[in-house]
């Protein structure tokens, strides 16, 4: 299941009063008037996106239509990139033929930003007096590389605890666990009744908060290096592996599902730890099932979470950087963000819009609450090699009941071999 919420569609827009005409940059056009004004020369831009649903494209179309109304000399074409988005985008960037602005997922943002093909936004942000205080720091950090901001987030997602009250009640449990110490007690009661306590894949995208809660870190951003073999990582990974080995956590594959939402929707597990993408899935797959959503439980007194977010970024090779920046700031500002919030397709990235979003969609509160302690889901330019190394080592370690130290050493060795190939 993709980590984007259904739609994960573009999120935010800055009200025109907050955005002035973009400052000139290298290769910027000389229009004889501010970009978008009635006296300016016409400018054509392309916006690149994926569309996980027709509703997502329709939302972006409405946002672009409002932008064009307020900036009559800027015309925007929408380019929906199908198939593997990143594999399609990278050749476009290499050929200097990418859209002017486009979606970038936080998981691979550092790879694109480090390539030199993305325009830093710092000077545009300063010239346009863009209000960054409306974004939580971790959202901005997800698109900051080597001290420069390359993107502004349009939406966000974290993980929460989904639970089936009926299955909990069968084990005499009246409320969901607030901590994993409470969860372990509940898991024993559920297993005694033959109920799987929680569906959980062996995936760093889900279990990494446990490592962080217990003092560990798999990655050093300042050095862009994996730190698997740090002794601080042993407690968190050991705890996760024991939960798997004890049956407190059960992989969805062991219950016939491709991801945790499938067996949860089928009533095969009492709980799951997933992002807000599970909400539309449950509406479509199990509309009559009664389930609730609670905050991600704390571990060892800490509340780490995973942050999944998508930004708009700008091609370094755009022929119209001022106009492109104006569009980017609009698509990540308050007007468009309100449209996203009203649509319910994604959680707004700007704090100022999340309150109204929750009034309309209160079931998402736990996902918004999770932002406070959330860590961006990204590991620098190490990318898929990093994920493959730690996920494969963890899966093998659980299967063979290896100690956490051995799992971490294997991951470090595998990554080093991959990076040297």
């Amino acid at each position: 299941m993709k980590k984007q919420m259904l739609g994960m569609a573009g999120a935010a827009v800055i009200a025109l009063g907050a955005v002035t005409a973009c400052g000139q940059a290298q290769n910027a056009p000389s229009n004889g008037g501010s970009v978008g004004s009635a006296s300016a020369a016409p400018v054509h831009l392309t916006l690149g996106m994926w569309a996980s649903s027709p509703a997502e494209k329709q939302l972006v179309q409405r946002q672009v239509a409002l932008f064009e109304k307020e900036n009559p000399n800027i015309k925007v074409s929408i380019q929906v990139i199908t198939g593997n988005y990143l594999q399609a985008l990278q050749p476009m960037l290499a050929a200097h033929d990418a859209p002017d602005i486009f979606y970038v997922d936080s998981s691979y943002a550092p790879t694109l930003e480090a390539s030199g093909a993305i325009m830093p936004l710092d000077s545009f942000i300063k010239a346009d007096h863009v209000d960054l205080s409306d974004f939580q720091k971790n959202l901005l950090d997800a698109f900051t590389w080597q001290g420069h901001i390359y993107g502004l987030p349009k939406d966000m997602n974290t993980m929460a605890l989904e639970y089936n009250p009926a299955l909990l009640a069968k084990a005499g449990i009246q409320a969901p666990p607030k901590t994993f110490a409470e969860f372990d007690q509940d898991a024993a009661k559920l297993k005694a009744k033959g109920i799987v306590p929680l569906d959980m894949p062996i995936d760093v995208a889900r279990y990494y908060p446990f490592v962080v809660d217990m003092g560990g870190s798999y990655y050093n951003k300042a050095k862009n290096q994996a730190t698997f073999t740090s002794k601080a990582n042993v407690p968190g990974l050991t705890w996760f592996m024991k939960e798997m080995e004890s049956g407190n956590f059960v992989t969805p594959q062991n219950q016939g599902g491709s991801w945790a939402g499938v067996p949860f929707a089928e009533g095969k597990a009492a709980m799951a730890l997933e992002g807000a993408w599970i909400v539309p899935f449950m509406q479509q797959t199990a509309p009559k099932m009664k389930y609730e959503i609670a905050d991600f439980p704390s571990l060892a007194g800490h509340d780490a979470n995973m942050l999944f977010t998508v930004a708009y970024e700008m091609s370094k090779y755009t022929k119209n950087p001022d106009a492109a920046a104006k569009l980017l700031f609009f698509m990540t500002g308050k007007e468009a963000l309100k449209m996203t919030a009203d649509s319910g397709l994604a959680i707004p990235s700007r704090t100022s819009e999340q309150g109204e979003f929750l009034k309309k969609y209160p079931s998402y509160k736990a996902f918004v609450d999770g932002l406070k302690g959330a860590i961006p889901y990204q590991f620098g330019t190490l990318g898929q090699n990093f994920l493959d190394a730690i996920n494969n080592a963890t899966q093998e370690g659980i299967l063979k009941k290896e100690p956490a130290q051995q799992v971490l050493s294997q991951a470090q060795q595998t990554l080093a071999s991959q990076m040297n190939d």
Side-chain angles (χ1 to χ4, degrees), residues 26-353:
Q26 184 180 6
N27 297 326
S30 178
N31 294 323
S34 62
V35 174
S37 69
S39 61
V43 174
H44 182 271
L45 299 174
T46 301
L47 181 155
M49 61 176 290
W50 61 75
S52 53
S53 70
E56 178 171 11
K57 183 179 179 181
Q58 292 165 7
L59 171 62
V60 175
Q61 288 173 329
R62 294 196 302 272
Q63 292 169 328
V64 165
L66 180 58
F67 173 81
E68 290 180 330
K69 181 178 179 180
E70 297 178 356
N71 299 273
N73 282 72
I74 303 177
K75 302 302 178 185
V76 181
S77 297
I78 296 173
Q79 180 179 355
V80 177
I81 299 173
T82 58
N84 187 304
Y85 182 84
L86 181 59
Q87 288 183 6
L89 180 62
Q90 286 179 310
M92 294 180 189
L93 289 168
H96 302 183
D97 193 31
D100 297 278
I101 73 167
F102 41 85
Y103 285 9
V104 174
D105 187 273
S106 60
S107 62
Y108 53 73
T111 297
L112 295 183
E113 293 157 3
S115 73
I118 308 297
M119 180 78 80
L121 299 179
D122 308 81
S123 62
F124 297 98
I125 290 169
K126 182 177 180 180
D128 288 2
H129 308 289
V130 177
D131 179 16
L132 299 182
S133 66
D134 205 15
F135 296 108
Q136 293 286 339
K137 183 178 182 298
N138 49 1
L139 281 165
L140 293 176
D141 286 347
F143 305 103
T144 300
W145 182 251
Q146 295 184 342
H148 296 286
I149 297 176
Y150 286 89
L152 293 184
K154 69 185 189 66
D155 53 38
M156 50 112 344
N157 214 327
T158 66
M159 294 192 297
L161 178 72
E162 297 81 27
Y163 65 97
N164 185 324
L167 291 182
L168 293 185
K170 287 183 178 181
I173 302 166
Q174 301 303 315
K178 295 181 179 180
T179 70
F180 275 104
E182 293 177 4
F183 168 82
D184 285 342
Q185 296 173 0
D186 291 344
K189 298 175 183 177
L190 288 162
K191 288 188 294 184
K193 295 291 184 179
I195 300 169
V196 170
L198 187 143
D199 272 312
M200 180 80 167
I202 303 173
D203 187 344
V204 69
R206 299 296 181 272
Y207 82 75
Y208 192 53
F210 309 141
V211 175
V212 175
D213 276 343
M214 301 190 81
S217 175
Y218 281 172
Y219 175 70
N220 183 318
K221 185 172 182 178
K223 297 181 179 179
N224 191 32
Q225 290 180 352
T227 55
F228 293 132
T229 53
S230 168
K231 292 181 180 179
N233 294 326
V234 173
L237 180 58
T238 298
W239 182 89
F240 171 66
M241 294 175 70
K242 287 182 177 179
E243 292 295 300
M244 278 288 177
E245 292 166 4
S246 68
N248 287 355
F249 294 169
V250 174
T251 65
Q253 289 77 15
N254 283 344
Q255 293 190 289
S258 58
W259 69 290
V262 175
F264 180 74
E266 294 173 347
K268 294 180 178 179
M271 291 173 272
L273 289 170
E274 283 292 341
W277 48 80
I278 199 171
V279 175
F281 174 80
M282 294 296 290
Q283 291 170 345
Q284 296 167 6
T285 307
K288 295 182 179 180
M289 177 178 164
K290 293 182 179 180
Y291 75 102
E292 302 291 339
I293 304 172
D295 288 345
F296 196 94
S298 61
L299 178 63
H302 298 284
D303 295 292
N305 204 315
M306 293 303 293
L307 172 59
F308 308 102
T309 178
V310 177
Y312 278 105
E313 298 198 351
M314 186 198 310
S315 170
K316 190 174 182 179
Y317 308 107
T318 177
K319 296 178 180 178
N320 299 289
D322 282 358
K326 192 175 187 71
L327 175 61
L328 188 152
F329 296 150
F330 185 90
M331 298 299 291
T332 55
K334 291 182 180 178
E335 285 182 288
L337 184 68
K338 185 179 185 305
M339 296 169 73
T340 299
D342 289 343
S343 75
L345 290 174
I347 300 172
S349 56
R350 284 185 177 266
T351 304
S352 61
E353 300 301 322

